Amino acid sequence: MTRDYSAFACLFGVRDISGHWQPVAADRGLPADVSESARAEHASWGETAFGATWLGWNEILAIDWDEPAIPRATSIARYRRLLDGTLELVHQEDWSRGFARASGIDTLSVDPDRIGELWAEGTEWDTGTTVFRAERARRRDVVPADGPWQPVWTVMRTLAGVHGDQNVRLVVWFEE
């Protein structure tokens, strides 16, 4: 798995520098009945391991994927205005020169983590064919069903089909 800091924050409360998420499964430690091989692997990481936790398949099924980040805008989305006036999403997170021109903000000197401090959710900059909007991420935005976590969910779903939803879990930890 690649380093998916937004998903790590959303699911496990790890690397959430901006404080956007109430994590689903943070700081639980290793399960008491974790396998000896997993316990040994975790121990082999020594002092670099942190944030050990776990998430059950039954909990994943219960996640409200439409739940928004903690209440403030988290990103600037860029839309293209179509001929019929509807908007088509171009980029979920845009911190570009185009946005700088539309908003008047210097995107080179302002930290994008300050979006929620600077603008309310829904604030828009309309340039005619392009619309920039301050939006609040939903869990599905940072852990999309068809994204990098899809293979993990597929394996867990398959195992749950054999062993039951309550008997499948993902055990994780992170390194400094």
Side-chain angles (χ1 to χ4, degrees):
M1 169 114 330
T2 60
R3 290 188 174 133
D4 190 351
Y5 293 127
S6 295
F8 296 165
C10 173
L11 296 172
F12 308 114
V14 173
R15 305 273 194 227
D16 192 8
I17 297 165
S18 58
H20 289 160
W21 298 103
Q22 179 66 41
V24 176
D27 299 320
R28 294 176 168 176
L30 293 178
D33 63 345
V34 73
S35 70
E36 285 306 315
S37 61
R39 190 173 304 284
E41 179 66 23
H42 179 262
S44 75
W45 289 42
E47 296 291 319
T48 64
F50 75 97
T53 193
W54 55 273
L55 179 59
W57 180 246
N58 58 323
E59 293 174 294
I60 293 166
L61 293 175
I63 293 172
D64 176 1
W65 294 104
D66 290 320
E67 182 182 353
I70 292 176
R72 64 177 190 259
T74 56
S75 65
I76 302 297
R78 179 174 20 149
Y79 293 88
R80 176 182 307 113
R81 186 175 308 284
L82 302 177
L83 293 175
D84 66 1
T86 60
L87 298 177
E88 174 184 60
L89 181 65
V90 176
H91 292 292
Q92 187 68 44
E93 294 189 24
D94 188 301
W95 198 247
S96 63
R97 289 184 300 217
F99 173 66
R101 286 189 297 275
S103 66
I105 192 126
D106 180 359
T107 55
L108 296 177
S109 65
V110 175
D111 185 344
D113 282 338
R114 293 193 53 221
I115 288 169
E117 298 169 27
L118 300 171
W119 304 289
E121 181 181 4
T123 302
E124 288 188 357
W125 299 264
D126 190 331
T127 67
T129 58
T130 301
V131 174
F132 296 96
R133 181 184 302 145
E135 295 186 344
R136 187 162 35 147
R138 305 293 189 259
R139 288 194 190 275
R140 78 173 61 261
D141 297 328
V142 297
V143 188
D146 59 350
W149 288 82
Q150 181 182 23
V152 176
W153 304 152
T154 298
V155 169
M156 291 182 78
R157 182 182 305 107
T158 301
L159 290 170
V162 175
H163 302 287
D165 294 348
Q166 301 280 347
N167 298 312
V168 176
R169 67 181 170 217
L170 174 66
V171 177
V172 300
W173 60 84
F174 304 86
E175 70 173 322
E176 293 291 336

